[in-house]
Amino acid sequence: MGLLSIFRKSQNVSVIPLNGIIAPNMGRRKGLNLNEIDKNIEDAFSAKNLKAVALQINSPGGSPVQSEMISKRIRSLSEKKSIPVIAFVEDVAASGGYWLACSADEIFASKASIIGSIGVVSSGFGFDKAIQKLGVERRLYTSGDNKAILDPFLPENKDDVKRLKGIQKELHNQFISFVKSRRGSKITNENKEIFTGAFWSGEKSLELGLIDSFGEMKAVLKDRFGENLKIKEFAPKKKLFGFGSLLSGALDMLINKVEERSAFNKFGL
């Protein structure tokens, strides 16, 4: 009995926080991407006496490339080491955030969580009429007919839009294919809006098969693996700015926060 007690005390679950906008790094502006968290993912799956890896998700989405790369890395290690992965959605797992959630074998959320937005979006501005009013002449020289596609200072070109929508459709189909491969028969076919970019509350998402159950992470894990379970978080270390780059770093951080707040606001958060 004593040996069994010691064994139970050594059981571990690794937690990987996946929070914020999914995006590649751009200078000092850091996004949620594989480059930033690859070591954390590796370390999380390398813990001793590991029972499971938990994904703590709070993301409105972002880069489909980074979403796919992170998900593939998680699935690869899960299958290689035969370690189950459980996702816990906090406020939102939308678009790329839901892509990340689907890398798990089970998805838990709150009834009030926002889930879904399985789609692809591109946005921009058109300034061609504005520069005409200002009397500004646009001068653009290219080598290659498509180098200036969707230039914001030129009138919108129907062929450019068609090309962009073709790429969006390909990315959307890739997203749909991954969700179907992970959720399988759990997704109900009655609702035709599932893959239109629509999103729902956690309560409705359970009915649609987008999630598996409701539950808070620590409570679910301890209920499943026992009160003696050890939960360890694997998150990127926050980097400190030197004095010379403090102002620039603070500005980048402010821009990141504004962009992140805008992305979350889309879902009423």
Side-chain angles (χ1 to χ4, degrees):
M1 187 68 177
L3 288 175
L4 182 58
S5 176
I6 291 172
F7 179 74
R8 283 177 177 169
K9 287 181 180 178
S10 67
Q11 301 309 291
N12 300 311
V13 167
S14 298
V15 176
I16 305 173
L18 299 173
N19 302 321
I21 297 175
I22 304 165
N25 292 339
M26 299 181 69
R28 292 191 186 91
R29 295 171 62 184
K30 306 298 182 184
L32 174 57
N33 57 68
L34 186 60
N35 182 63
E36 283 291 302
I37 66 170
D38 188 44
K39 187 178 186 305
N40 302 106
I41 296 173
E42 178 73 36
D43 290 346
F45 277 95
S46 299
K48 294 181 179 179
N49 301 317
L50 191 62
K51 299 297 292 184
V53 168
L55 309 178
Q56 192 174 34
I57 300 173
N58 192 18
S59 174
S63 165
V65 173
Q66 293 300 326
S67 301
E68 181 185 33
M69 289 172 68
I70 294 170
S71 295
K72 278 188 173 181
R73 183 72 168 132
I74 291 169
R75 289 311 315 151
S76 174
L77 288 171
S78 173
E79 292 165 9
K80 179 181 178 181
K81 297 174 179 284
S82 298
I83 298 296
V85 179
I86 309 170
F88 293 91
V89 178
E90 295 187 340
D91 291 280
V92 59
S95 194
Y98 186 66
W99 194 319
L100 298 182
C102 285
S103 64
D105 302 296
E106 294 178 85
I107 304 175
F108 286 80
S110 163
K111 288 184 179 181
S113 298
I114 301 299
I115 311 289
S117 191
I118 302 170
V120 179
V121 62
S122 298
S123 62
F125 297 92
F127 300 104
D128 55 302
K129 293 183 175 61
I131 63 173
Q132 285 179 13
K133 288 183 179 180
L134 292 172
V136 177
E137 181 183 354
R138 171 68 163 158
R139 295 175 180 175
L140 180 68
Y141 309 99
T142 68
S143 177
D145 293 339
N146 295 308
K147 286 299 292 183
I149 185 172
L150 296 173
D151 187 304
F153 297 100
L154 295 174
E156 191 172 65
N157 183 296
K158 290 183 179 179
D159 290 336
D160 291 351
V161 174
K162 184 179 179 181
R163 183 184 297 271
L164 175 62
K165 288 189 174 182
I167 295 172
Q168 287 181 322
K169 186 175 181 180
E170 291 175 6
L171 296 176
H172 193 193
N173 287 337
Q174 292 167 17
F175 193 175
I176 291 170
S177 178
F178 181 68
V179 172
K180 285 184 174 181
S181 72
R182 298 298 303 151
R183 299 302 296 170
S185 60
K186 295 177 182 178
I187 295 177
T188 59
N189 293 319
E190 288 77 11
N191 194 315
K192 302 300 182 183
E193 291 190 329
I194 286 182
F195 299 117
T196 66
F199 52 89
W200 300 269
S201 69
E203 190 167 17
K204 183 64 177 178
S205 296
L206 181 62
E207 294 179 24
L208 297 173
L210 295 174
I211 66 172
D212 296 289
S213 190
F214 304 126
E216 184 272 332
M217 183 178 71
K218 289 184 179 179
V220 170
L221 293 176
K222 290 196 172 185
D223 180 65
R224 180 169 298 189
F225 300 113
E227 286 294 325
N228 293 323
L229 181 73
K230 292 182 180 178
I231 300 173
K232 184 177 179 180
E233 182 178 286
F234 292 82
K237 293 180 180 179
K238 293 183 178 180
K239 298 176 183 177
L240 298 176
F241 298 110
F243 181 78
S245 60
L246 184 61
L247 181 59
S248 176
L251 180 60
D252 288 336
M253 189 179 296
L254 177 61
I255 294 172
N256 277 346
K257 289 297 181 183
V258 170
E259 290 178 344
E260 190 171 276
R261 176 47 47 203
S262 175
F264 277 98
N265 282 345
K266 175 183 176 182
F267 302 101
L269 301 170

